[in-house]
Amino acid sequence: MSETPRRVSARPSQILRALGPNRREADPCTIVILGGAGDLAKRKLLPALYQLQLDGLMPEGVDIVGISREELDDAAYRKMMHDAVKESHEITAFDEKSWAQMAARLHYVAGDLSDRRAYDYFENRLSLVEAHRPPEHRNRMFYLSVPPSVFEPIARALSASGLAPRIWDPATRPWRRVVIEKPFGRSLATARDLNKLALDLFAERQIYRIDHYLGKETVQSILVFRFANAIFEPIWNRQSIHHVQITAAETVGVEKRGKYYEEAGVVRDMFQNHLLQLLTLTAMEPPVTMSADAVRDEKVKVLKAIRGWRHQDIEAATVRAQYAAGLVGNAPVPGYREEPDVARDSVTPTYSAARFFVDNWRWQGVPFLLRSGKRMARRVSEIAVQFREPPVKMFSHEIGEQIAPNLLTLRIQPDEGVSLTFQVKAPGAAHQLSHGVEVAPVAMDFNFREAFGDTNPPAYETLLLDVMLGDATLFTRSDEVDAAWQVVDPVINYWDTHRPPRMPVYPAGSWGPVEADRLIQAHNAVWREPE
């Protein structure tokens, strides 16, 4: 007799600990945060490291060193990060005892990261911090929490100073690993320049290009859902699937980032990384193993199979728009052009919808409809797979209505879970006497929080632990970055050189412009409006 599935109420990290000796242990290391007093360190990195401490996953012997311009000593830095972590929404709880254990390993070095001479001083300080560990355990992770504009001089200084030399063999100890934050370039040309620089200085296996979206539990669960459940594989193709919708909607506007957003726009900000990552995970073939290179090989194949753009394709298959003034949560908000640091005649899109085709055997002819926008009705990220209508319409013929097709929804945030909508007969003999069988849609719903409790760890917790483990599965490889930019670069270039006579707009708090409705209606479909 098969075992009945049981409910669990543990964080995934707790489940990992229960696996015992078969689970890999992370090496002791020094985590060096370049830009250690900056916003990312306070909002994301230190809370994630604290959560690792709280979950019992921080390896023994780990030290954390922040390096920034600010003149601080260890005590002042620890106080700054204590306050930041305690106020953070990224952690499940704050415990002073656990913090004290981590704070004892938290250090600070003041210095100018753009000054090559400062790196000798950094080396001396790191050597003092690491003196309690044997030489083979003096591994280092360098996290470049710095603006893209200063990446090049810092990377060159790390390499030239010997702090992060090129290491070809990943088994070499002590190791050196370099974590690079997105955006990885702002165009295909700049991404290639950045890749060339990084690969001139470090080996590919040393480089961890981070996209926090891939650290979300529910994004990782897409692979498990697809490849650990045999019932879906026979229908996961063009014969059964009508189209796929991928949505990443935000209720916030550009806030105080108007200057940045004017240079970025929604395609650089969301499509090139997050949305294309979700597309590849949805469309990829099963990897031979769950190793980093095997998974990333299959994702790159999907990106290379996406149909290229001609100018007429871009006009017909993409929509760009800006949010206008409206209501979000019953509160009035200004339009994009009224935001600080935004040009009053700006045509930078805050919303985009686009149709992609993956020209391979599995997906030929199936439209992938992607959309993302700011100031939309709800904050939601999801993948909705709509299946084809039943070929026999005996029930819809009797009742004179079209039966809704089956729909599989993978909810990524905020209500993480999976829902499958299918048709059932409405109960009662009266229906049959009046107009035959009545068919009604119902949803079979799985909710992660209900099944596992509040188990969703911060994305950076997962990713930082993976760097310490040397597992690059959730990080993008150089050829994947290049292939993703090849997909979106033609759209960005076309929009930059073809100013619309009238920029489409949508009211803040809505689901987007009417132009996007026309895009999807061409495929006999409508956009979902998640509740």
Side-chain angles (χ1 to χ4, degrees), residues 40-55:
L40 181 65
K42 288 185 278 192
R43 290 190 304 107
K44 299 291 185 180
L45 302 183
L46 265 297
L49 292 170
Y50 169 76
Q51 190 66 56
L52 284 172
Q53 172 77 26
L54 199 64
D55 290 339

Side-chain angles (χ1 to χ4, degrees), residues 125-142:
R125 287 295 308 273
L126 291 177
S127 297
L128 290 173
V129 168
E130 297 168 336
H132 65 96
R133 301 199 305 266
E136 66 273 14
H137 288 169
R138 293 172 189 173
N139 307 294
R140 292 175 184 172
M141 176 207 303
F142 292 95

Side-chain angles (χ1 to χ4, degrees), residues 129-162:
V129 168
E130 297 168 336
H132 65 96
R133 301 199 305 266
E136 66 273 14
H137 288 169
R138 293 172 189 173
N139 307 294
R140 292 175 184 172
M141 176 207 303
F142 292 95
Y143 198 112
L144 274 64
S145 178
V146 296
S149 58
V150 296
F151 169 79
E152 180 174 351
I154 292 174
R156 290 191 183 280
L158 281 175
S159 175
S161 66

Side-chain angles (χ1 to χ4, degrees), residues 399 424-427 431-432 434-440:
I399 62 177
V424 300
K425 173 189 174 296
H431 297 302
Q432 298 182 13
S434 60
H435 54 254
V437 177
E438 182 170 334
V439 178

